[in-house]
Amino acid sequence: MDGARVYKNKNALFIYIRCCLDACLICLVVNMCGIIGYIGNDNGIEVVFNGLIRLEYRGYDSVGIGFKDKKGKIKAVKSVGRIQRSDVAPGMPNLEEKIKENGRFKFDSQIVIGHTRWATHGAPSERNAHPHVSMSGRFAIVHNGIIENYYTLKKELVDKGYKFSSETDSEVIAHLIDYFYNGDFVEAVRKTLTKLDGAYSFLVISEVDDFIIGAKKGSPLCVGIGNDEIIISSDEMPFVDRTKKVIYLNDNELIIAYFNGNYDVKSFEGIDIEKEIKGVPYDIEAITKAGYKHFMLKEIHEQPTTVKNAFISRVDHLDTMVRDNFPNLPRNINRVIYLGCGTSLYAGMVGMYITERYAHVPSRSEYASEFIYRDPVIFRNDVCIALSQSGETADTKEALKIVKDKGAYVAGIVNTVGSQIARLAGKGMYLHAGPEIGVASTKAFTSQIIAINLFNMLLIDDDDYRQSIINEMKRLPNKIKDVFNNEDYIRDIAPMIARYKNFLYLGRDINYPVALEGALKMKEIAYIHAEGYSSGEMKHGPIALVDDNLLSVFIITGGRDIYQKTLNNLLEIKSRNGKVLVITDNVDEMRKYLGNDDYIIKVPNTIPQLTPIINIIPLQLLSYYVADHLGREIDKPRNLAKSVTVE
Ligand code: M6R
């Protein structure tokens, strides 16, 4: 997108503008870069390098660090590809080989910034990787988010003589700071902030001063306060092993981080702000693989514990703890609307079935990304629940803002403590599932379903109902462990399953969202086409797909009605020689209908409200082992990122 090109006629110019707009729209799909900055007495290159590895889960295609060298000059080292040499084939680019020699870091610096970039404006390349250094060489920035008016700013800067060396939106920040610099670094950053539109967080270092400035508006930024050091980062992971003290910046706040662990926080207008220091709610063990081949597998196996964490302290104090999480819930609820994206949306769909069937309150679940463009009709006594693992998903955040502005009752069911959605919602429940690092969401889904059940118990004034759910929740961790008895079988059949080119995941009622979620898992980590469908809809079209390349994955559990109806759909497939894999709690009966080349996975029986928790786990394992067999990058699947922080 080079605005300086000359177009011979109006038509060409029109096409160029269209292309720019299209490119922008494509760019706006996702942005989940990670940023980190270090100021302290240790070698910040090492701290930032290790911190970047912890930010990898956010997704990236290039990486870079910037630092002040011994002479106080700014240096930047960038690479496409991976951070660590061990993650790439020999000869492929990586940051490590540029900054280490014979296993030791080549550079030593106490003021360092770093960045993992997931390309939006401009292809993944070294020149588009961050940090971006101002033309004068005095300032270097790393940026997460999108500067929406960058094109106008870039034109203005080009007119002033600034030369750009990347296609990114971010580079304008470095040049603007340089342009505004008049002897006062902080003032130059503040003036720059008044020019920027969009959602962003960025860090900047300068040749002229020995401090780091961080600014936040829309994208996350938190600050680890060590004894003699400060680490500023997109989340706590890069510093959790160095300090548990954290402050979370709010939008329109900036931090100036000095040596010796000192800092000032100010509003963008320059007013001092006192920040509360909080504790990071997890340990370093929570973010290591603990012997598992992938984070995803570790996280799947954590579910007996994470599910328990979601309810254990709450069920005996429903009327205090859970009710306090949802204070002033309207008496006459009009509707319960669950908002989310991806896996979180499917958890919301489970919620919809529970709320309508058991609380008898009208309910729906909404793709946040669609909802925000629909000008939805919202009433004051609508209860809107935003579901999010990361708490940073831009569409969900935007949907939450809309319903809040329209006066609905809002709450969040969120995993990441202190995240933007959690703060915006102001009330609701945390999942306490610990950090979910694999890009494919697993343990968050099962914990969300627990939280949804707890919330619904507030709407159902029936002690027997509540007690039956609580009793069954307490049995769940052991039942989940029973599901793992199938793991060897699933691993063994994975090579055969991996031969199919297409999957139809079929379920009815509360198992329909499970079908959607199972298919999402297969798509995103195994890269095999998989579609989730309501099994009742199957004969209205998809049944035409049945052939040797299609495997139909049925989820057949639940009440007798649903069970029988789904079984009928399975028989329709079988009578057309279709191949099936069945998740069921009724293995003996099911065997009667299946052939030798079909697959069957036994799950323990549970109540319908919790059955999605039990049923999704074999499907998580199935996609994991198929993806592993195919040699996929399971924790960081192509084109995907953990937090989707731009609409
Ligand atoms: O962090 P969130 O729960 O808000 O994320 C929503 C989706 O982006 C997420 O569930 C995504 O679909 C996952 N890759 C699914 O595994």
Side-chain angles (χ1 to χ4, degrees):
M1 291 208 343
D2 179 0
R5 274 185 254 164
V6 179
Y7 287 86
K8 288 196 181 108
N9 58 42
K10 277 187 184 162
N11 200 28
L13 180 61
F14 175 72
I15 292 168
Y16 172 64
I17 292 169
R18 279 281 307 272
C19 290
C20 289
L21 286 174
D22 287 350
C24 282
L25 287 176
I26 292 164
C27 290
L28 288 176
V29 177
V30 275
N31 182 320
M32 21 292 133
C33 311
I35 60 179
I36 173 171
Y38 175 85
I39 181 163
N41 299 327
D42 282 350
N43 185 1
I45 306 280
E46 183 171 357
V47 178
V48 166
F49 178 78
N50 291 331
L52 287 171
I53 293 168
R54 303 236 182 105
L55 292 174
E56 277 191 315
Y57 78 96
R58 299 171 77 89
Y60 73 107
D61 45 47
S62 50
V63 57
I65 58 166
F67 57 95
K68 287 185 81 165
D69 71 8
K70 291 283 168 242
K71 294 181 185 148
K73 296 281 173 212
I74 285 182
K75 293 270 176 298
V77 185
K78 314 179 192 186
S79 175
V80 288
R82 293 285 165 203
I83 298 169
Q84 296 178 90
R85 192 181 285 136
S86 56
D87 281 351
V88 295
M92 296 305 284
N94 63 87
L95 180 69
E96 186 171 357
E97 73 180 8
K98 294 190 169 187
I99 61 172
K100 270 188 179 179
E101 212 163 46
N102 302 324
R104 301 172 74 100
F105 287 96
K106 286 198 267 188
F107 312 103
D108 188 356
S109 173
Q110 281 61 53
I111 301 182
V112 187
I113 53 178
H115 188 264
T116 49
R117 174 172 189 257
W118 197 92
T120 59
H121 296 62
S125 66
E126 236 173 73
R127 76 189 191 100
N128 286 332
H130 299 214
H132 293 292
V133 181
S134 65
M135 206 172 78
S136 65
R138 285 186 298 192
F139 303 97
I141 65 103
V142 288
H143 162 231
N144 172 21
I146 295 213
I147 306 301
E148 286 170 8
N149 60 337
Y150 86 99
Y151 191 69
T152 316
L153 295 171
K154 184 169 179 174
K155 255 184 117 279
E156 287 171 12
L157 286 159
V158 168
D159 289 347
K160 290 183 171 76
Y162 280 88
K163 290 201 169 46
F164 279 72
S165 38
S166 78
E167 300 155 280
T168 66
D169 55 328
S170 313
E171 194 180 343
V172 295
I173 304 173
H175 296 312
L176 275 174
I177 294 170
D178 189 83
Y179 172 71
F180 285 121
Y181 182 71
N182 198 5
D184 186 335
F185 178 23
V186 179
E187 200 50 30
V189 171
R190 284 194 40 232
K191 284 188 176 149
T192 298
L193 292 167
T194 64
K195 289 286 193 180
L196 305 178
D197 289 340
Y200 55 81
S201 57
F202 67 80
L203 301 175
V204 50
I205 56 173
S206 89
E207 274 187 8
V208 284
D209 285 294
D210 280 347
F211 51 79
I212 301 179
I213 302 179
K216 172 186 167 11
K217 186 180 173 194
S219 301
L221 202 60
C222 61
V223 184
I225 317 285
N227 282 340
D228 289 315
E229 62 187 18
I230 303 258
I231 300 165
I232 314 173
S233 170
S234 300
D235 61 40
E236 313 91 344
M237 294 204 196
F239 56 76
V240 66
D241 55 337
R242 301 180 74 91
T243 179
K244 286 291 191 68
K245 291 190 204 158
V246 60
I247 59 177
Y248 297 99
L249 291 193
N250 290 323
D251 284 348
N252 303 311
E253 289 179 353
L254 59 88
I255 179 158
I256 305 143
Y258 309 96
F259 277 107
N260 301 322
N262 295 318
Y263 61 90
D264 290 320
V265 177
K266 294 179 185 293
S267 68
F268 281 7
E269 290 74 38
I271 305 192
D272 288 335
I273 295 173
E274 195 72 36
K275 297 295 290 186
E276 185 190 349
I277 298 183
K278 302 199 166 156
V280 179
Y282 54 82
D283 291 318
I284 187 69
E285 290 71 40
I287 56 170
T288 60
K289 286 189 205 155
Y292 287 95
K293 187 171 175 189
H294 294 97
F295 280 112
M296 182 182 175
L297 190 59
K298 175 187 169 224
E299 287 157 8
I300 291 173
H301 276 271
E302 281 172 357
Q303 290 175 107
T305 308
T306 51
V307 157
K308 189 169 168 189
N309 287 349
F311 70 77
I312 195 64
S313 59
R314 291 166 167 152
V315 285
D316 294 331
H317 312 278
L318 258 189
D319 262 337
T320 45
M321 289 189 80
V322 180
R323 201 167 289 285
D324 285 355
N325 288 138
F326 298 91
N328 307 318
L329 205 54
R331 276 183 177 280
N332 297 312
I333 297 177
N334 187 44
R335 295 176 297 183
V336 175
I337 302 175
Y338 297 96
L339 299 162
C341 297
T343 296
S344 292
L345 171 76
Y346 300 147
M349 283 178 80
V350 171
M352 175 183 80
Y353 284 99
I354 293 174
T355 304
E356 289 220 326
R357 174 154 315 136
Y358 302 102
H360 309 301
V361 174
S363 180
R364 44 206 256 217
S365 55
E366 298 268 5
Y367 287 99
S369 55
E370 286 293 318
F371 183 82
I372 57 181
Y373 293 109
R374 234 184 38 218
D375 200 10
V377 177
I378 295 294
F379 302 101
R380 284 204 157 268
N381 52 351
D382 282 340
V383 170
C384 299
I385 308 236
L387 291 145
S388 178
Q389 187 288 128
S390 61
E392 306 291 349
T393 302
D395 287 318
T396 310
K397 195 172 76 180
E398 200 49 41
L400 185 60
K401 276 188 195 154
I402 289 173
V403 291
K404 202 171 171 181
D405 286 351
K406 290 186 183 236
Y409 180 96
V410 301
I413 292 182
V414 175
N415 192 33
T416 308
V417 175
S419 58
Q420 304 200 58
I421 291 173
R423 283 182 281 157
L424 186 64
K427 52 192 175 307
M429 292 168 84
Y430 282 120
L431 302 178
H432 303 311
E436 193 182 66
I437 294 173
V439 163
S441 192
T442 52
K443 59 180 177 173
F445 179 76
T446 45
S447 296
Q448 281 166 335
I449 292 168
I450 293 286
I452 284 168
N453 269 287
L454 292 173
F455 163 72
N456 274 278
M457 282 151 84
L458 297 181
L459 313 184
I460 301 166
D461 192 17
D462 176 346
D463 285 344
D464 291 344
Y465 176 88
R466 294 174 189 204
Q467 201 50 55
S468 67
I469 304 268
I470 291 170
N471 292 346
E472 190 58 15
M473 274 184 186
K474 290 183 175 170
R475 290 183 204 113
L476 259 187
N478 281 334
K479 291 194 175 184
I480 295 175
K481 286 180 191 158
D482 288 348
V483 177
F484 291 123
N485 292 335
N486 293 296
E487 187 165 359
D488 288 348
Y489 172 71
I490 295 172
R491 190 193 299 115
D492 291 349
I493 63 173
M496 274 92 79
I497 304 285
R499 286 208 296 263
Y500 286 95
K501 301 273 179 285
N502 291 297
F503 290 87
L504 261 187
Y505 281 68
L506 297 155
R508 229 171 226 269
D509 194 74
I510 207 158
N511 278 328
Y512 169 46
V514 177
L516 293 169
E517 171 61 5
L520 176 63
K521 290 285 91 78
M522 187 60 86
K523 278 187 275 238
E524 68 180 336
I525 62 163
Y527 315 155
I528 304 181
H529 173 244
E531 219 176 325
Y533 232 85
S534 143
S535 63
E537 276 293 298
M538 191 252 317
K539 56 177 164 294
H540 297 286
I543 198 164
L545 291 171
V546 172
D547 68 8
D548 287 346
N549 291 319
L550 176 90
L551 184 70
S552 299
V553 179
F554 275 91
I555 303 119
I556 311 190
T557 59
R560 203 60 218 170
D561 263 12
I562 299 166
Y563 178 89
Q564 192 56 50
K565 286 268 161 52
T566 322
L567 179 58
N568 294 346
N569 300 138
L570 179 137
L571 296 176
E572 286 155 12
I573 299 256
K574 283 309 306 163
S575 59
R576 284 158 184 83
N577 291 325
K579 299 287 173 289
V580 299
L581 181 151
V582 188
I583 309 288
T584 184
D585 51 1
N586 197 345
V587 168
D588 293 339
E589 184 181 354
M590 200 59 60
R591 283 200 202 285
K592 293 185 212 153
Y593 306 108
L594 301 187
N596 288 339
D597 46 1
D598 294 319
Y599 306 94
I600 187 162
I601 296 174
K602 180 177 167 35
V603 286
N605 177 270
T606 184
I607 54 176
Q609 295 91 320
L610 300 177
T611 199
I613 296 179
I614 292 288
N615 294 346
I616 196 58
I617 292 172
L619 297 178
Q620 294 168 347
L621 287 169
L622 185 71
S623 38
Y624 173 82
Y625 283 110
V626 168
D628 194 38
H629 173 76
L630 295 171
R632 307 296 194 223
E633 271 198 280
I634 291 180
D635 284 333
K636 289 168 254 163
R638 68 184 180 202
N639 305 337
L640 281 174
K642 189 66 183 159
S643 305
V644 184
T645 54
V646 176
E647 287 161 33

